[in-house]
Amino acid sequence: MAETTRAGFVALIGEPNAGKSTLLNRMVGAKVSIVTHKVQTTRARIRGVAMEGDSQIVFVDTPGIFKPKRRLDRAMVSAAWGGAADADVVVLLIEAHKGITEGVEAILAALDEHSNPKQKIALAINKIDMVDVEKLLALAKDMNERRSFVETFMISAEKGKGVDDLRKWLARELPEGPWLYPEDQIADLPMRMIAAEITREKLTLNLHQELPYQLTVETEQWEERKDGSARVDQVIYVSRDGHKGIILGKRGETIKRISRAAREELAEFLGRKVHLFLQVKVRPNWLEEAERYGEMGLDFKDGN
């Protein structure tokens, strides 16, 4: 007789840069969410699928929760809480060395409003190698006094410490039921969006502080070629002419470097050759266009 299968959704929530994307990638075993040292880089609710025994864990990697200022910010925060509300289990991720910040306090205060009574909410203290044991234990005690978490995990998402224990626990806590995705499917994002996310990561890494969040990337065309390779055409939208010059760089060196890095990673992800073509276009009001939000997996109305 076959073993009982389990499947369900797990939402990773926390402040920007708490390590949610790194944890998701570690859990899934492949890079499905962009990881940078900048905050607020995850825009869409990217789902990664991890198998643990007879359980299928579908991760919702939400944008970081922060105080929104612009329409895009508001849509991102709304997406984050929407991901939490729909999940079977919520994992609140905080950074060990930062402790209980104003942002963490705000998330704790909002959890009751945005979660439902049936959900199990666990705490994961990340980057544990940055503080000593006494501070860790004190932080765990303080957090559990503020809210009763069903479990508390000490992890290092980057180094993998404690991640297996968290994944096994999540697998046991999911509801019984059939798997939601084919076993070999690691992410439910269309490949066009994953490709755009990879390019956006390379832009973020290469441009540093020059162009933090004033750009977006869309995959306009995806052509499967007879030789097994893929041709991918993407557009980088910026809001000002000056931004276009920064991305292109002197004699086009910057865009070439970004294109090469994105092409190599996409080829590795797909396991085949990729021909990547990038264009930069100026759209002054892209942050106010509903179509751009749809491409990012966000709801334009949530930005109101």
Side-chain angles (χ1 to χ4, degrees):
M1 197 170 151
E3 292 288 322
T4 303
T5 58
R6 293 177 180 273
F9 293 91
V10 173
L12 307 175
I13 66 167
E15 288 188 282
N17 225 24
K20 298 179 297 298
S21 296
T22 304
L23 179 59
L24 170 68
N25 294 335
R26 176 73 65 174
M27 290 272 199
V28 173
K31 189 168 185 178
V32 295
S33 184
I34 68 170
V35 180
T36 72
H37 296 297
K38 290 187 183 296
V39 298
Q40 301 165 27
T41 47
T42 305
R43 290 177 178 171
R45 277 181 279 172
I46 299 176
R47 293 177 173 88
V49 182
M51 300 301 302
E52 181 63 45
D54 294 305
S55 296
Q56 188 180 72
I57 311 166
V58 184
F59 288 99
V60 184
D61 178 40
T62 62
I65 296 168
F66 55 98
K67 195 169 182 178
K69 294 176 184 173
R70 306 167 299 167
R71 177 187 279 274
L72 177 61
D73 296 342
R74 291 191 290 274
M76 286 164 66
V77 171
S78 179
W81 283 121
D86 297 339
D88 298 292
V89 183
V90 175
V91 179
L92 170 59
L93 203 63
I94 68 169
E95 294 174 273
H97 61 298
K98 289 187 178 176
I100 303 172
T101 61
E102 277 185 33
V104 170
E105 286 184 336
I107 293 170
L108 285 170
L111 259 174
D112 288 332
E113 181 189 342
H114 293 284
S115 58
N116 66 66
K118 293 179 183 176
Q119 281 178 325
K120 292 171 180 174
I121 301 176
L123 172 67
I125 301 175
N126 191 25
K127 306 179 185 179
I128 55 171
D129 45 330
M130 298 181 78
V131 298
D132 59 38
V133 176
E134 288 77 13
K135 281 187 179 177
L136 268 179
L137 294 174
L139 177 56
K141 183 173 181 285
D142 196 354
M143 283 293 290
N144 277 275
E145 283 172 355
R146 290 166 188 252
R147 181 188 180 91
S148 182
F149 294 96
V150 290
E151 287 287 342
T152 298
F153 295 89
M154 309 284 190
I155 68 167
S156 169
E158 190 176 359
K159 296 180 180 174
K161 291 178 186 172
V163 174
D164 287 346
D165 290 338
L166 174 56
R167 187 172 56 232
K168 285 172 184 171
W169 178 80
L170 289 169
R172 292 194 300 270
E173 297 302 314
L174 294 177
E176 291 184 8
W179 292 341
L180 302 166
Y181 294 95
E183 192 173 356
D184 60 352
Q185 189 170 336
I186 62 166
D188 76 344
L189 269 186
M191 275 313 307
R192 283 176 176 239
M193 193 183 282
I194 289 178
E197 284 290 274
I198 286 172
T199 300
R200 193 161 68 86
E201 177 191 39
K202 303 310 173 194
L203 284 158
T204 308
L205 288 170
N206 279 276
L207 299 172
H208 306 297
Q209 299 302 319
E210 293 172 288
L211 253 180
Y213 314 108
Q214 298 297 317
L215 58 82
T216 189
V217 180
E218 289 180 18
T219 303
E220 276 205 329
Q221 199 167 340
W222 187 293
E223 181 194 341
E224 297 289 346
R225 294 189 162 179
K226 289 178 182 177
D227 63 0
S229 66
R231 177 188 167 122
V232 181
D233 291 88
Q234 294 180 333
V235 177
I236 301 162
Y237 288 110
V238 293
S239 50
R240 293 185 205 155
D241 279 318
H243 293 168
K244 184 175 182 179
I246 292 169
I247 292 172
L248 293 174
K250 196 173 181 180
R251 293 193 294 274
E253 288 303 316
T254 306
I255 192 76
K256 284 178 191 170
R257 186 169 68 247
I258 289 163
S259 179
R260 184 168 58 247
R263 185 183 69 248
E264 287 171 359
E265 182 160 322
L266 187 55
E268 187 182 346
F269 189 90
L270 294 171
R272 57 200 170 103
K273 191 172 182 179
V274 171
H275 309 275
L276 178 64
F277 297 88
L278 301 181
Q279 282 186 72
V280 186
K281 292 184 180 178
V282 179
R283 288 185 77 102
N285 298 313
W286 79 261
L287 280 162
E288 297 299 323
E289 293 177 9
E291 190 181 342
R292 306 282 84 80
Y293 284 68
E295 287 286 340
M296 290 186 281
L298 300 173
D299 192 331
F300 183 72
K301 295 191 292 291
D302 287 342
N304 290 323

